[in-house]
Amino acid sequence: MEQSSQTPEHTDRFCVPNELGFYGPYGGMFVPETLMTALFEFEQVFKDAMADPVFVAEYRALLRHYVGRPTPLYHAQRLSEYCGGAQIYLKREDLLHTGAHKITNALGQVLIAKRMGKTRVIAETGAGQHGVATAAAAARFGLECVIYMGRVDMRRQALNVFRMNLFGAKVCPVDSGQKILKDAVNEAMRDWVTNVRDTHYVVGSALGTHPFPLVVREFQSIIGKELREQYKEQLGRLPDEMAACVGGGSNAMGFFYEFLDEPSVRMVGVEAGGHGIVEGQHAARFAGGRMGVFQGSLSYVLQNADGQINMTHSVSAGLDYASVGPEHAYYRDRGRIEYGYATDDEVIEALKILCEKEGILPALESTHAIAYALKRAPQMSKDQILCINVSGRGDKDVHTVMESLGIKPEDLVECE
Ligand SMILES: *Cc1c(COP(=O)(O)O)cnc(C)c1O
């Protein structure tokens, strides 16, 4: 195991965010003043809870017995052979309860909500994964749960709507704007401003107003903490490179955070390239965005020359968002984390390859990082290690994949 270099100068990570939630120029609290008290209270209760051994023990026990942590670190031998370069390892967040990394954060925030004496939680959801995770955690603790979801997304993800209903959550359709995720966020904020006394808003990614980027990253950083032990035990060293997909940025931040001070580890975030980097056709904020304020914080935003938010597109709903968590913007500018993107076509191809080589069906979001690995591993040598975060499983995406491949259910051939 390499010695941790412990040089805060290298990343400044111990200096950010400041008390107003700024990571360098990014982040902040761009919200109505009625929410400021609730946000400061949330931050304080969160910090107290994380310093309380009783709270931490309860959370850890639930992560183990309810959520299914720690997740394995798996050597994808056939995929590595196929690529003919680096040894590819997969962090298996796809094996978690409700199907993705999101439950780790949703459960953490529900516990904080309970600690604050709140009786009701609300959340926004796009594909439905964060809604399902929040509904499950709320059911587990008997809290009332309301999920805001764009009408268009509800139609696309009807199965997840029903899963939320089964967990006792009410799903409110949002008919404003494009009727997708960003519109659901606006509606959830409206609810929160009105009901802030008894309600906590469980934000689903490391974005939005302070302290959410901090809180969500802290909960998700368990991914990297598990990896540090797994690297030591299974590899005897750190990997040469780590890559993860970036929507809001929570699975990537949780995966990278522990290793930011390890200069020998290269880090790459992979965004949604959609149909290519043409305005309105993708969600690669670092490839086509610029500084702006959107939904609570300052970060890279996809916007037109007048500052209007652009339409976005990705085959994966979970990456289809016009802004990105402020901490990513900060490390991107500092050059500590590099960012690339994968297109829809590359993602569908990569999904088929992982299925065929390893018998693992990844979420379309996570497959962006797999697509990157397929390109990157052949450029590396056989004694090098590339670790990929598989943030979720692809069961929810089977319909989309069939559609992308132009396959209809009646086309499925039977064995003679
Ligand atoms: C929601 C989701 C993402 C994107 O969110 P991040 O906050 O960027 O992690 C990625 N993968 C899966 C499986 C998801 O459900």
Side-chain angles (χ1 to χ4, degrees), residues 100-102 129 204-206 245-252 318-319 363 365-366 391-392 396:
H101 68 293
K102 290 214 171 70
Q129 288 303 105
S205 186
C245 69
V246 182
S250 69
N251 87 88
L319 304 187
E365 290 82 3
S366 326
S391 51
K396 68 184 176 61

mmCIF file of all heavy atoms in Angstrom, residues 100-102 129 204-206 245-252 318-319 363 365-366 391-392 396, ligand 1:
data_model
loop_
_atom_site.group_PDB
_atom_site.id
_atom_site.type_symbol
_atom_site.label_atom_id
_atom_site.label_comp_id
_atom_site.label_asym_id
_atom_site.label_seq_id
_atom_site.Cartn_x
_atom_site.Cartn_y
_atom_site.Cartn_z
ATOM 1 N N ALA A 100 -29.102 0.836 -6.935
ATOM 2 C CA ALA A 100 -28.057 1.817 -7.240
ATOM 3 C C ALA A 100 -27.477 2.399 -5.951
ATOM 4 O O ALA A 100 -27.985 2.130 -4.853
ATOM 5 C CB ALA A 100 -28.623 2.938 -8.114
ATOM 6 N N HIS A 101 -26.446 3.223 -6.128
ATOM 7 C CA HIS A 101 -25.778 3.870 -4.987
ATOM 8 C C HIS A 101 -26.710 4.819 -4.237
ATOM 9 O O HIS A 101 -26.437 5.193 -3.104
ATOM 10 C CB HIS A 101 -24.562 4.645 -5.481
ATOM 11 C CG HIS A 101 -24.918 5.833 -6.332
ATOM 12 N ND1 HIS A 101 -25.501 5.712 -7.583
ATOM 13 C CD2 HIS A 101 -24.837 7.169 -6.091
ATOM 14 C CE1 HIS A 101 -25.727 6.920 -8.075
ATOM 15 N NE2 HIS A 101 -25.337 7.816 -7.203
ATOM 16 N N LYS A 102 -27.813 5.246 -4.843
ATOM 17 C CA LYS A 102 -28.631 6.336 -4.293
ATOM 18 C C LYS A 102 -29.194 6.034 -2.898
ATOM 19 O O LYS A 102 -29.391 6.942 -2.103
ATOM 20 C CB LYS A 102 -29.777 6.660 -5.245
ATOM 21 C CG LYS A 102 -29.276 7.316 -6.527
ATOM 22 C CD LYS A 102 -30.273 8.325 -7.056
ATOM 23 C CE LYS A 102 -29.685 9.120 -8.199
ATOM 24 N NZ LYS A 102 -29.498 8.303 -9.413
ATOM 25 N N GLN A 129 -35.030 6.446 -9.797
ATOM 26 C CA GLN A 129 -34.151 5.708 -8.877
ATOM 27 C C GLN A 129 -34.068 6.391 -7.517
ATOM 28 O O GLN A 129 -34.144 5.730 -6.478
ATOM 29 C CB GLN A 129 -32.748 5.571 -9.458
ATOM 30 C CG GLN A 129 -32.655 4.606 -10.612
ATOM 31 C CD GLN A 129 -33.149 3.218 -10.226
ATOM 32 O OE1 GLN A 129 -34.236 2.819 -10.599
ATOM 33 N NE2 GLN A 129 -32.353 2.499 -9.473
ATOM 34 N N GLY A 204 -31.156 14.320 -4.177
ATOM 35 C CA GLY A 204 -30.645 13.023 -4.616
ATOM 36 C C GLY A 204 -29.233 12.981 -5.140
ATOM 37 O O GLY A 204 -28.713 11.912 -5.438
ATOM 38 N N SER A 205 -28.574 14.145 -5.278
ATOM 39 C CA SER A 205 -27.207 14.112 -5.791
ATOM 40 C C SER A 205 -26.380 15.203 -5.123
ATOM 41 O O SER A 205 -26.919 16.037 -4.391
ATOM 42 C CB SER A 205 -27.200 14.283 -7.307
ATOM 43 O OG SER A 205 -25.890 14.108 -7.806
ATOM 44 N N ALA A 206 -25.078 15.217 -5.422
ATOM 45 C CA ALA A 206 -24.170 16.172 -4.777
ATOM 46 C C ALA A 206 -24.260 17.514 -5.481
ATOM 47 O O ALA A 206 -23.261 18.044 -5.957
ATOM 48 C CB ALA A 206 -22.753 15.630 -4.811
ATOM 49 N N CYS A 245 -19.223 7.590 -13.913
ATOM 50 C CA CYS A 245 -20.119 8.488 -14.641
ATOM 51 C C CYS A 245 -20.492 9.678 -13.754
ATOM 52 O O CYS A 245 -20.482 9.577 -12.525
ATOM 53 C CB CYS A 245 -21.372 7.736 -15.102
ATOM 54 S SG CYS A 245 -22.484 7.247 -13.776
ATOM 55 N N VAL A 246 -20.821 10.805 -14.390
ATOM 56 C CA VAL A 246 -21.178 12.019 -13.646
ATOM 57 C C VAL A 246 -22.506 12.577 -14.146
ATOM 58 O O VAL A 246 -22.618 13.055 -15.274
ATOM 59 C CB VAL A 246 -20.094 13.107 -13.786
ATOM 60 C CG1 VAL A 246 -20.467 14.337 -12.972
ATOM 61 C CG2 VAL A 246 -18.738 12.583 -13.351
ATOM 62 N N GLY A 247 -23.537 12.468 -13.268
ATOM 63 C CA GLY A 247 -24.803 13.140 -13.528
ATOM 64 C C GLY A 247 -24.744 14.411 -12.691
ATOM 65 O O GLY A 247 -24.115 15.402 -13.060
ATOM 66 N N GLY A 248 -25.367 14.379 -11.500
ATOM 67 C CA GLY A 248 -25.156 15.445 -10.527
ATOM 68 C C GLY A 248 -23.764 15.326 -9.941
ATOM 69 O O GLY A 248 -23.132 16.307 -9.558
ATOM 70 N N GLY A 249 -23.303 14.088 -9.854
ATOM 71 C CA GLY A 249 -21.920 13.867 -9.424
ATOM 72 C C GLY A 249 -21.748 13.105 -8.119
ATOM 73 O O GLY A 249 -20.639 13.052 -7.599
ATOM 74 N N SER A 250 -22.825 12.482 -7.587
ATOM 75 C CA SER A 250 -22.678 11.871 -6.259
ATOM 76 C C SER A 250 -21.941 10.541 -6.266
ATOM 77 O O SER A 250 -21.120 10.287 -5.383
ATOM 78 C CB SER A 250 -24.046 11.720 -5.586
ATOM 79 O OG SER A 250 -24.847 10.743 -6.225
ATOM 80 N N ASN A 251 -22.206 9.663 -7.244
ATOM 81 C CA ASN A 251 -21.477 8.388 -7.208
ATOM 82 C C ASN A 251 -20.004 8.646 -7.489
ATOM 83 O O ASN A 251 -19.133 8.040 -6.847
ATOM 84 C CB ASN A 251 -22.116 7.350 -8.152
ATOM 85 C CG ASN A 251 -21.612 7.398 -9.582
ATOM 86 O OD1 ASN A 251 -20.622 6.752 -9.927
ATOM 87 N ND2 ASN A 251 -22.295 8.165 -10.438
ATOM 88 N N ALA A 252 -19.698 9.568 -8.394
ATOM 89 C CA ALA A 252 -18.303 9.862 -8.722
ATOM 90 C C ALA A 252 -17.586 10.505 -7.532
ATOM 91 O O ALA A 252 -16.476 10.117 -7.176
ATOM 92 C CB ALA A 252 -18.234 10.776 -9.949
ATOM 93 N N GLY A 318 -30.756 9.384 -15.768
ATOM 94 C CA GLY A 318 -30.029 9.789 -14.565
ATOM 95 C C GLY A 318 -28.870 10.752 -14.821
ATOM 96 O O GLY A 318 -28.354 11.356 -13.888
ATOM 97 N N LEU A 319 -28.439 10.894 -16.078
ATOM 98 C CA LEU A 319 -27.355 11.832 -16.396
ATOM 99 C C LEU A 319 -27.882 13.050 -17.153
ATOM 100 O O LEU A 319 -27.132 13.941 -17.519
ATOM 101 C CB LEU A 319 -26.275 11.149 -17.250
ATOM 102 C CG LEU A 319 -25.616 9.888 -16.715
ATOM 103 C CD1 LEU A 319 -24.458 9.471 -17.623
ATOM 104 C CD2 LEU A 319 -25.110 10.052 -15.295
ATOM 105 N N ALA A 363 -26.571 -0.249 -15.269
ATOM 106 C CA ALA A 363 -27.474 0.861 -15.596
ATOM 107 C C ALA A 363 -26.871 1.648 -16.757
ATOM 108 O O ALA A 363 -25.646 1.709 -16.896
ATOM 109 C CB ALA A 363 -27.631 1.775 -14.389
ATOM 110 N N GLU A 365 -26.597 4.750 -17.025
ATOM 111 C CA GLU A 365 -25.737 5.791 -16.459
ATOM 112 C C GLU A 365 -24.324 5.232 -16.283
ATOM 113 O O GLU A 365 -23.349 5.750 -16.821
ATOM 114 C CB GLU A 365 -26.283 6.266 -15.104
ATOM 115 C CG GLU A 365 -27.577 7.064 -15.185
ATOM 116 C CD GLU A 365 -28.825 6.172 -15.289
ATOM 117 O OE1 GLU A 365 -28.688 4.939 -15.237
ATOM 118 O OE2 GLU A 365 -29.932 6.734 -15.428
ATOM 119 N N SER A 366 -24.232 4.144 -15.521
ATOM 120 C CA SER A 366 -22.929 3.532 -15.214
ATOM 121 C C SER A 366 -22.198 3.112 -16.478
ATOM 122 O O SER A 366 -20.963 3.108 -16.522
ATOM 123 C CB SER A 366 -23.126 2.292 -14.340
ATOM 124 O OG SER A 366 -24.210 2.448 -13.462
ATOM 125 N N SER A 391 -22.351 2.213 -10.904
ATOM 126 C CA SER A 391 -23.214 2.894 -9.928
ATOM 127 C C SER A 391 -24.578 2.239 -9.744
ATOM 128 O O SER A 391 -25.207 2.392 -8.705
ATOM 129 C CB SER A 391 -23.395 4.363 -10.331
ATOM 130 O OG SER A 391 -23.809 4.463 -11.684
ATOM 131 N N GLY A 392 -25.047 1.488 -10.756
ATOM 132 C CA GLY A 392 -26.360 0.852 -10.602
ATOM 133 C C GLY A 392 -26.569 -0.259 -11.611
ATOM 134 O O GLY A 392 -25.768 -0.439 -12.534
ATOM 135 N N LYS A 396 -33.893 -1.594 -14.893
ATOM 136 C CA LYS A 396 -34.811 -0.496 -15.212
ATOM 137 C C LYS A 396 -34.697 -0.041 -16.666
ATOM 138 O O LYS A 396 -35.571 0.644 -17.178
ATOM 139 C CB LYS A 396 -34.529 0.684 -14.277
ATOM 140 C CG LYS A 396 -33.175 1.335 -14.556
ATOM 141 C CD LYS A 396 -32.828 2.446 -13.581
ATOM 142 C CE LYS A 396 -31.437 3.013 -13.801
ATOM 143 N NZ LYS A 396 -31.149 3.635 -15.090
HETATM 144 C C1 LIG B 1 -28.957 8.772 -10.526
HETATM 145 C C2 LIG B 1 -27.898 7.880 -11.047
HETATM 146 C C3 LIG B 1 -26.661 8.379 -11.510
HETATM 147 C C4 LIG B 1 -26.359 9.848 -11.612
HETATM 148 O O1 LIG B 1 -26.257 10.512 -10.399
HETATM 149 P P1 LIG B 1 -24.892 10.918 -9.719
HETATM 150 O O2 LIG B 1 -25.310 11.799 -8.621
HETATM 151 O O3 LIG B 1 -24.043 11.601 -10.743
HETATM 152 O O4 LIG B 1 -24.252 9.675 -9.244
HETATM 153 C C5 LIG B 1 -25.700 7.481 -11.920
HETATM 154 N N1 LIG B 1 -25.928 6.150 -11.918
HETATM 155 C C6 LIG B 1 -27.103 5.637 -11.493
HETATM 156 C C7 LIG B 1 -27.279 4.156 -11.524
HETATM 157 C C8 LIG B 1 -28.122 6.476 -11.047
HETATM 158 O O5 LIG B 1 -29.293 5.945 -10.648
#
